[in-house]
Amino acid sequence: MTGATHILAAAALYQRAALKTPYLLVLAFLSHFLLDAVPHFDLAVQWNYIPAAGAGAYLLLIGKWQGDYKIIIAGLLGVLPDIYLILQPGSGFSVFHNIFHFKKLNPVPITLFTVETAFLVFCVIMVLSKKTPEQKIKS
């Protein structure tokens, strides 16, 4: 799963919840493992940086626009397990992470990347469709 998908799925989960509690940030972190259990096409690490940076920049803008910076924290928590794996390869955490990660098919069909991209667009829409306080007053 791309880092951008993990970031935006966790942010969408946080964004769409009616009640903002600290537990949502825990759920944002756990969403990583749920998404990794779904069959997907993995990009090489170096190909993940640009989309993940774009997703992070998008969340910075959304957080500022909506006045809720916890959405940025939620997004970061969604991708945190992969960041940790990059920084600490071969750690015991990688064994834990691989328990949840789907068992790769060889070769993994590129169509799974298309499905993931569609899900990513859906998450962008879910994050963006939340009204700001000013918009709620006008409507």
Side-chain angles (χ1 to χ4, degrees), residues 73-97:
I73 296 168
L76 289 173
L77 287 170
V79 77
L80 186 62
D82 282 347
I83 293 171
Y84 186 76
L85 283 177
I86 292 168
L87 298 176
Q88 297 291 323
S91 68
F93 181 75
S94 64
V95 173
F96 175 76
H97 186 268

Side-chain angles (χ1 to χ4, degrees), residues 72-134:
I72 300 162
I73 296 168
L76 289 173
L77 287 170
V79 77
L80 186 62
D82 282 347
I83 293 171
Y84 186 76
L85 283 177
I86 292 168
L87 298 176
Q88 297 291 323
S91 68
F93 181 75
S94 64
V95 173
F96 175 76
H97 186 268
N98 287 336
I99 290 170
F100 295 95
H101 204 283
F102 94 101
K103 307 306 176 237
K104 294 180 182 177
L105 314 166
N106 284 327
V108 176
I110 193 71
T111 53
L112 291 178
F113 184 67
T114 306
V115 171
E116 181 180 344
T117 303
F119 178 68
L120 181 65
V121 169
F122 173 76
C123 290
V124 167
I125 292 167
M126 288 295 98
V127 169
L128 189 60
S129 67
K130 182 82 174 197
K131 291 185 176 182
T132 65
E134 294 83 22

Side-chain angles (χ1 to χ4, degrees), residues 12-21 24 130 136:
L13 175 71
Y14 172 82
Q15 183 78 302
R16 303 311 298 176
L19 184 61
K20 304 289 189 235
T21 70
L24 279 177
K130 182 82 174 197
K136 287 180 183 179

Side-chain angles (χ1 to χ4, degrees), residues 24-85:
L24 279 177
L25 297 177
V26 173
L27 288 175
F29 177 76
L30 294 176
S31 73
H32 180 94
F33 301 101
L34 178 66
L35 288 174
D36 269 357
V38 174
H40 58 275
F41 185 88
D42 279 325
L43 293 176
V45 172
Q46 63 271 21
W47 289 105
N48 258 306
Y49 291 133
I50 293 172
Y58 173 71
L59 285 188
L60 285 171
L61 290 172
I62 292 294
K64 181 177 181 184
W65 178 58
Q66 296 179 350
D68 185 2
Y69 292 98
K70 288 182 186 166
I71 193 169
I72 300 162
I73 296 168
L76 289 173
L77 287 170
V79 77
L80 186 62
D82 282 347
I83 293 171
Y84 186 76
L85 283 177

